[in-house]
Amino acid sequence: MGNIFFKISLTVSLILPASLVCAADVDFNLPHTVINAQTRNGGITTNQSVQALAESQTAPGDAGLSKTEQYFRYGEKLFKARDYLNALKYFYAVTKADPKNVKAWKQTAFCYYKLNKHNYAYNAFKTVLKYNSSDKDALEFMDYYKTIIDKNTKAKVIRQPIDSIWRSAVLPGFGQIYNNQIAKGLVVGSAFIVAVGLTLYDVSDEKIKYEKYKKANENQDIAFKQAQDSWTLALVWGIIAGGVYAAGIVDAGLSYNCDEVRSAGILIKDNAVYLAAGYRW
Amino acid sequence: MKNLRLALLLAVVAVFYGCTTLNRVNPTDPQAGNYIGMHYLGAIGDFTKLEDFNVMGDAVWCVDSVTNNVYKYSTSGDLIFSFTGGGITAPTGICSDNTFFYVADKDTVYRNIKRFDPAYVSNTAQVQLPNYSSTYNFIKCAASPLYLYAATSTAVYIFDTTANSLTAASPYVFTNISDIKYNPGTNEVVVADSGSNSILIFTPVLTNPPALTYQRQLVFTEGIIGFGIKDSYIYVPTVTGIHQYYYNTGVAVKTFANFGEGSGKISAPGPCGIYGNNVLVGTGTTIKYFGP
């Protein structure tokens, strides 16, 4: 059997639900340089640039505040204005200057959340809890993320061959479809339906011809041979249907944890999320 | 698991149902265990109105009262030749003594039986019995080596074929004669009377003049026309098939050609003949052929 494997790559920010589902597979302990890299589209890549941006945002009432307080305030203003990307820069700058600033970490996490960068949001909330393990917002978000992670992990753990086997037994091809081998499932299902259809047709044809033979008072040999031919055809198609049925069950059982099963849906690899579709024989 | 078991059970049932072997159970099928012993083999000829036929050697001689033709068919169904004329008008009976064949017809001029030599057959009869105009309307005939038994609808007359003379008439009066045959095995003359649905058996008394002595009769509840004799059996076609009886006792042996759908069924009485172990029955437009 050959392997054909397609992957369609999408950035994580484009698909919120998918990225949520896949949070369990992400390594959240990313260096902060990654964050800087993420913000290059805004044209500001260093702390110096953040400072320049802060100066442009300076207001008369900010004169007596420390630099981190000013940055935090600017960040809040931008957050309220829904400019999450720029707000993130100020909050991040505050965490850089004061790594134990829980408020700044929390706001950073909110910004990531709003930007649909849930893996970074998760990491930021984790940092919040590191410094304040009773932070209500962080705990709620972590619960939310953990629920998804647990669900995903649990789903993977309970997958057994019998899940695919009984589905194939009930409806040939269903097991393969359950294994995300859609094309194979459709082929197996169609082949089974065609074989069963032809079997039933030939059984019916054989019954008609056999009845005709039983009533014939001439050319009995020909009539009997016709009935016998239909019987043979019915048997052949029945064996094919049985073979497809049995092979479908065995294949579904063997492929219950194949590449397609693991790769179908969302694949997270190298800090990127992929919408993947598997196709294998 | 419940679904799996149910599916497997259904599959097994389906396979067993589909795998039921086919048995040959048709009573007209020679390879079936319940084979009745005779079955349809085919048909001979295509007639407008077949009146009578006679098997002579490997040939079947037939007469058609609409086309006025005499036909010679092989027993395999091939037409060898046919002829008309020769004074034959609306032939109704044909018989043979294994040397010659004789044709009875509704010729109202000579009212006689015409004899033909099958080796030199033409549309001219070699001999006419009698060789003068009679007053009888012969419709059927049967031949023994020395005598010809010619039947009108109510009486049987005996010809001395050597002297070519009408020698005697049976004293028995029939209602409506439909067939007459000579049984060489028992030296008896057998007459079918469709008027009384009976077959009457006579012994020729070859005194001078010869006569027919009544022996016995078989009476039927269904209409009859013709019959065939083979060894100790007599075959009679009726609306319910071909019935086989013991010739001497009239006890029924079996019935065939009464089963199923197709050409291998006899549903009306008609002329009947025997070729080897085969029974031939005329249906008006063809001759159906049955064999073991």
Side-chain angles (χ1 to χ4, degrees), chain A residues 26-64:
Chain A
V26 178
D27 177 9
F28 289 106
N29 297 311
L30 301 172
H32 283 171
T33 50
V34 173
I35 299 173
N36 281 331
Q38 298 277 333
T39 61
R40 272 180 195 136
N41 287 340
I44 300 165
T45 57
T46 63
N47 289 335
Q48 198 175 3
S49 301
V50 172
Q51 192 173 354
L53 182 65
E55 283 167 2
S56 70
Q57 299 280 336
T58 304
D62 297 340

Side-chain angles (χ1 to χ4, degrees), chain A residues 47 49 55 59 78 140 173 179 189 207 220 223 241 251 258 269 281:
Chain A
N47 289 335
S49 301
E55 283 167 2
L78 291 167
E140 275 183 14
N179 288 343
K207 298 286 171 206
Q220 296 88 343
D251 178 70
C258 64
K269 198 175 177 184
W281 287 96

Side-chain angles (χ1 to χ4, degrees), chain A residues 120-182:
Chain A
Y120 300 126
Y122 177 85
N123 190 43
F125 280 124
K126 224 162 97 173
T127 308
V128 170
L129 292 173
K130 183 180 168 187
Y131 297 116
N132 181 7
S133 59
S134 60
D135 186 279
K136 199 180 169 186
D137 291 332
L139 284 171
E140 275 183 14
F141 267 92
M142 290 306 282
D143 278 349
Y144 173 64
Y145 284 127
K146 277 179 182 173
T147 304
I148 295 167
I149 291 167
D150 288 347
K151 193 177 172 184
N152 198 22
T153 307
K154 197 177 173 186
K156 283 193 172 178
V157 168
I158 61 167
R159 193 167 185 123
Q160 296 293 329
I162 192 67
D163 295 331
S164 305
I165 288 172
W166 78 257
R167 283 173 171 81
S168 260
V170 170
L171 182 64
F174 185 27
Q176 280 75 18
I177 290 171
Y178 179 70
N179 288 343
N180 294 311
Q181 297 174 309
I182 310 293

Side-chain angles (χ1 to χ4, degrees), chain A residues 162 165-166 168-170 203 206-207 210 212-222 224-225 227-229 231 234-235 238 245 249, chain B residues 1 3-4 7-8 11 15 17-32 39-40 259-265:
Chain A
I162 192 67
I165 288 172
W166 78 257
S168 260
V170 170
V203 165
E206 176 262 310
K207 298 286 171 206
Y210 189 53
K212 197 175 169 188
Y213 155 75
K214 287 202 282 188
K215 290 177 186 170
N217 57 26
E218 60 176 331
N219 302 318
Q220 296 88 343
D221 248 0
I222 295 169
F224 185 75
K225 195 174 179 311
Q228 213 168 28
D229 287 348
W231 183 84
L235 189 65
Y245 181 78
I249 292 173
Chain B
M1 283 304 284
N3 290 333
L4 179 62
L8 285 173
V15 167
Y17 179 71
C19 287
T20 306
T21 52
L22 301 182
N23 294 318
R24 301 191 81 136
V25 293
N26 186 324
T28 65
D29 180 358
Q31 294 184 53
H39 70 290
Y40 177 71
F259 174 85
E261 297 168 355
S263 303
K265 199 170 183 177

Side-chain angles (χ1 to χ4, degrees), chain B residues 131-203:
Chain B
N131 57 4
Y132 53 86
S133 298
S134 79
T135 56
Y136 310 112
N137 292 317
F138 298 116
I139 55 170
K140 299 289 178 187
C141 62
S144 71
L146 294 175
Y147 296 94
L148 180 78
Y149 303 94
T152 65
S153 60
T154 55
V156 176
Y157 296 87
I158 304 171
F159 284 99
D160 181 335
T161 51
T162 309
N164 191 4
S165 61
L166 181 65
T167 57
S170 164
Y172 200 93
V173 177
F174 301 90
T175 310
N176 185 26
I177 292 175
S178 55
D179 199 6
I180 180 168
K181 281 189 170 64
Y182 173 71
N183 183 357
T186 57
N187 187 34
E188 289 174 324
V189 175
V190 186
V191 180
D193 186 348
S194 61
S196 61
N197 290 332
S198 56
I199 290 177
L200 301 103
I201 299 167
F202 301 89
T203 303

